[in-house]
Amino acid sequence: DSGVTQTPKHLITATGQRVTLRCSPRSGDLSVYWYQQSLDQGLQFLIQYYNGEERAKGNILERFSAQQFPDLHSELNLSSLELGDSALYFCASNWRGDPGNTIYFGEGSWLTVV
Amino acid sequence: AQKITQTQPGMFVQEKEAVTLDCTYDTSDPSYGLFWYKQPSSGEMIFLIYQGSYDQQNATEGRYSLNFQKARKSANLVISASQLGDSAMYFCAMREGRNEKLTFGTGTRLTIIP
C-alpha cells in the first residue's frame, strides 16, 4: 500500500459526459501528480500541484482540469469525454525528503468511456 | 528522441533464474534520477528502486538491483531468484534536474514460467 488513495477505482460513463477523479496523497506529501496510462500513448504526465499551486503541466487536454485543495487532496475533472479518454488515471505524490523525490502512485482509476 | 528506451517488449524467464530488464536513457542534465516501477495485472504502479546520477554505488533493494552504467547511459534492473509473483509489466522512468515529473519508458512485460 503506497498510501496514495484514489476514488473511484472503476468508472464507466458515456461520451460527452463529465467525471471527477479524486486523490488523497500520502500523509505529509505536498506534491500531487496526475498521469494517464493508455494503450496507444503509454504513461503520460498530465499535471502537478504543489501545496495548492499548479507546479508543472504536461500533455493535459483543455477539456481536463485539476486542482489541489487546502487539505492537499486533489481532483481531476474530465469533461466532454471521448472514447479515446478511456484509460487508467493515476494520482501520485511525493515529498522532497524521499530519496530522489521518489513518486508514489495510487492504485489508479479505470475510466471507460462508451 | 526517446528519453527512456526499453527495448524488450516481453520476456519469459524460468522461475528461480535471474533476469535483467534493459533500460537506456537520454539526458544532458548532469543531475537526474532513475526509477523502476512494477505494474501487476491489477494495475497499481509499485515503486521498486531508485538510482541517482551522483550515486557511486549501484542501488539494491532486496532481490532488486540496478546495474547503473553512466557512460553507457543504461540503468538495467536485475531481479535475482525470480518468483511467479514477479510476473508483471516493468517500467523504467527518469527525473531530470529540478523537474520533478517522471518520464516513463514503454515497459517490459515479464512472465515467469514455473
Side-chain angles (χ1 to χ4, degrees):
Chain A
D1 183 1
S2 68
V4 180
T5 304
Q6 288 188 248
T7 57
K9 286 191 168 34
H10 298 272
L11 191 57
I12 301 175
T13 190
T15 54
Q17 294 297 306
R18 172 190 168 95
V19 298
T20 297
L21 308 180
R22 196 179 190 279
C23 168
S24 294
R26 294 187 314 163
S27 178
D29 285 359
L30 298 179
S31 267
V32 167
Y33 306 76
W34 287 97
Y35 282 81
Q36 179 196 58
Q37 185 179 28
S38 61
L39 284 174
D40 53 345
Q41 298 286 332
L43 270 156
Q44 299 278 321
F45 166 71
L46 296 179
I47 198 163
Q48 176 198 3
Y49 278 82
Y50 179 81
N51 203 18
E53 300 285 329
E54 183 182 302
R55 173 67 68 93
K57 215 166 187 175
N59 301 322
I60 188 166
L61 299 172
E62 286 192 11
R63 300 183 285 108
F64 296 0
S65 65
Q67 56 183 326
Q68 186 179 27
F69 295 86
D71 67 352
L72 301 177
H73 90 271
S74 178
E75 291 180 357
L76 179 66
N77 300 297
L78 314 174
S79 62
S80 302
L81 286 166
E82 302 174 359
L83 296 178
D85 297 327
S86 295
L88 179 56
Y89 290 85
F90 283 109
C91 171
S93 71
N94 75 339
W95 175 61
R96 287 180 174 175
D98 286 324
N101 297 335
T102 299
I103 296 176
Y104 292 90
F105 286 75
E107 294 187 351
S109 292
W110 292 89
L111 173 66
T112 303
V113 182
V114 298
Chain B
Q2 291 290 329
K3 286 192 173 286
I4 295 286
T5 302
Q6 295 181 253
T7 57
Q8 307 152 311
M11 286 188 69
F12 290 84
V13 173
Q14 204 76 36
E15 190 180 7
K16 296 180 185 168
E17 290 186 353
V19 56
T20 297
L21 304 181
D22 295 341
C23 173
T24 58
Y25 59 92
D26 183 28
T27 181
S28 57
D29 198 311
S31 175
Y32 55 90
L34 298 156
F35 302 78
W36 278 92
Y37 287 84
K38 172 184 178 181
Q39 186 177 36
S41 57
S42 51
E44 70 265 36
M45 194 72 71
I46 302 167
F47 165 71
L48 295 178
I49 198 166
Y50 160 77
Q51 179 85 43
S53 59
Y54 296 118
D55 293 344
Q56 295 295 314
Q57 293 188 325
N58 287 344
T60 60
E61 288 286 349
R63 293 188 300 113
Y64 304 109
S65 60
L66 202 152
N67 184 0
F68 182 44
Q69 298 188 43
K70 199 169 182 176
R72 298 180 62 182
K73 292 190 175 180
S74 76
N76 298 339
L77 177 70
V78 180
I79 306 174
S80 63
S82 57
Q83 302 170 356
L84 296 179
D86 294 333
S87 293
M89 280 288 287
Y90 288 81
F91 290 94
C92 181
M94 177 173 64
R95 174 190 53 75
E96 298 174 87
R98 289 179 169 273
N99 195 337
E100 293 182 30
K101 74 175 180 71
L102 295 177
T103 301
F104 284 84
T106 52
T108 296
R109 181 170 298 280
L110 175 65
T111 303
I112 306 300
I113 305 166

